[in-house]
Amino acid sequence: MRKGGRKVMWGFLYVLIFLAVFALSAIFKVTYNPLNKKYSVDWNDSVGTMHTDLTYGEKEANKFDLYLPADNSRESYGLVVYLHAGGFTTGDKKDDTRMLQWLCAKGYVAAGINYTLFTEENPTASVYSQSLEIRDSIPQVIAEAKKLGYAIDKMAVGGGSAGHALAMIYAYRDGAQAPVPPVLTFGGVGPASFYQEDWGIFGLDQSDEACAGLFSVMAGTAISPEEVADGSYLEKVKPISAADWVTADSPATVAAYGTHDKMQPFLASLRLKSALEEYGVDHKYFELPHSGHGLQNDNKIYEQWMDALEEYLDIYLPVK
């Protein structure tokens, strides 16, 4: 095999390894939550109703679920969108049923949204294309809620892992064009930016070829090793680098990251923290010093993070 061919295969191998490991890591977070009892509800008709598999687009995965509070007497409601984990390659909105039911029980219209996953059947899907699907779904979610008698006046968007990344991209990049203002974004362990030097956990800081291969798949556009070497790749990954879209007008933020995360780079989360501080965005940022991607070894801080989420929901999306 020619030298150039070996470089292409090396980069592609990094892509496969990353996506496989990231997807497997996300499964653990979905199934493990030390506070399941505290942040859950016994769901029945007195709490709310579910409307499942509503359509927002033409693709097979373009479906969403709505959770509507039993009290339908208010003039307006806050919408809370929660996007599922799965390493951009797996997962489903139904994985977050308990979270969405809990949010609905607090008085919010809650929505779980599916997006086209990067798989063998959908090899052109990317973080970028997924972010566009989320962007295009929100007007449909709000319209459906209104049709069912729940007018939306503001919203929050959150998620876990891959879903957290997509939530931040929507809140920071697309929020100004949202049909109602996003006032809060929240979640945990979502990749916040794509800078080569931050991705040492996969050795991308040592290989322009590997970095170009992975970032091309994530960004949904061709990036060459030469563009990585001269830094021009940054313009191509900016659309999926949430931290690069933070401004003084960005919504309040609650986020948590494990300092020992081996699935997405903790260094990227420090860029998010720095941007929030630089622009004076109201935020709560939690570092879990004994945890990785599952946030599983610091239950006290995990609880503080969830308590902060409740606090910020009450401040920015008060139920009246």
Side-chain angles (χ1 to χ4, degrees):
M1 182 182 293
R2 293 180 299 172
K3 183 177 180 181
R6 288 198 299 270
K7 288 183 177 180
V8 171
M9 288 303 296
W10 189 21
F12 185 67
L13 181 60
Y14 268 82
V15 173
L16 294 179
I17 292 172
F18 169 80
L19 293 174
V21 172
F22 198 63
L24 288 172
S25 75
I27 295 172
F28 178 74
K29 182 56 193 167
V30 169
T31 58
Y32 174 82
N33 183 339
L35 304 174
N36 270 336
K37 290 184 179 180
K38 183 175 181 179
Y39 294 102
S40 63
V41 63
D42 292 329
W43 183 259
N44 54 62
D45 290 343
S46 68
V47 177
T49 57
M50 297 170 54
H51 297 256
T52 60
D53 289 330
L54 303 168
T55 300
Y56 71 83
E58 297 180 355
K59 297 180 180 179
E60 182 179 355
N62 292 166
K63 307 287 185 182
F64 66 95
D65 296 343
L66 268 182
Y67 297 71
L68 303 174
D71 177 7
N72 62 355
S73 63
R74 306 203 309 267
E75 290 186 2
S76 61
Y77 293 79
L79 167 68
V80 183
V81 172
Y82 194 83
L83 303 175
H84 69 78
F88 308 104
T89 65
T90 187
D92 189 272
K93 53 188 168 54
K94 69 177 181 293
D95 299 334
D96 301 308
T97 297
R98 283 189 294 182
M99 167 66 87
L100 292 161
Q101 289 175 342
W102 172 72
L103 289 165
C104 183
K106 289 179 63 63
Y108 302 114
V109 172
I113 304 172
N114 276 355
Y115 44 89
T116 302
L117 303 172
F118 176 79
T119 62
E120 290 184 6
E121 292 75 23
N122 298 296
T124 61
S126 65
V127 179
Y128 180 64
S129 67
Q130 292 166 353
S131 75
L132 296 183
E133 290 183 21
I134 297 303
R135 182 198 66 187
D136 294 344
S137 73
I138 300 300
Q140 301 302 318
V141 171
I142 292 172
E144 185 67 25
K146 183 177 182 179
K147 186 172 74 173
L148 294 169
Y150 296 77
I152 304 299
D153 62 352
K154 61 182 67 174
M155 66 179 293
V157 56
S161 192
H164 183 211
L166 294 170
M168 290 189 293
I169 292 169
Y170 181 79
Y172 302 144
R173 190 193 71 192
D174 301 326
Q177 287 75 48
V180 299
V183 295
L184 174 66
T185 185
F186 64 93
V189 300
S193 61
F194 294 84
Y195 287 78
Q196 180 186 23
E197 59 267 33
D198 294 344
W199 286 74
I201 55 173
F202 290 98
L204 301 191
D205 57 336
Q206 302 297 316
S207 169
D208 294 345
E209 291 82 5
C211 184
L214 176 58
F215 286 4
S216 292
V217 172
M218 305 293 268
T221 188
I223 297 172
S224 69
E226 291 74 25
E227 288 174 312
V228 174
D230 66 23
S232 60
Y233 76 99
L234 290 173
E235 278 302 308
K236 291 187 173 181
V237 297
K238 182 177 179 180
I240 61 170
S241 293
D244 289 346
W245 293 92
V246 173
T247 71
D249 297 322
S250 292
T253 300
V254 179
Y257 288 90
T259 63
H260 296 281
D261 200 328
K262 301 301 182 185
M263 311 306 166
Q264 72 86 37
F266 176 68
L267 293 177
S269 73
L270 296 181
R271 290 188 188 271
L272 171 65
K273 179 183 178 184
S274 177
L276 295 170
E277 292 173 346
E278 177 183 354
Y279 288 100
V281 177
D282 186 10
H283 70 281
K284 292 285 183 72
Y285 172 91
F286 295 90
E287 293 181 5
L288 281 69
H290 307 100
S291 296
H293 199 66
L295 301 180
Q296 69 276 29
N297 297 324
D298 296 278
N299 285 359
K300 184 176 181 179
I301 302 176
Y302 190 107
E303 185 169 9
Q304 291 171 355
W305 168 47
M306 290 297 293
D307 288 346
L309 170 58
E310 272 203 294
E311 174 192 352
Y312 272 54
L313 284 170
D314 291 341
I315 292 171
Y316 289 98
L317 243 70
V319 176
K320 299 178 181 179

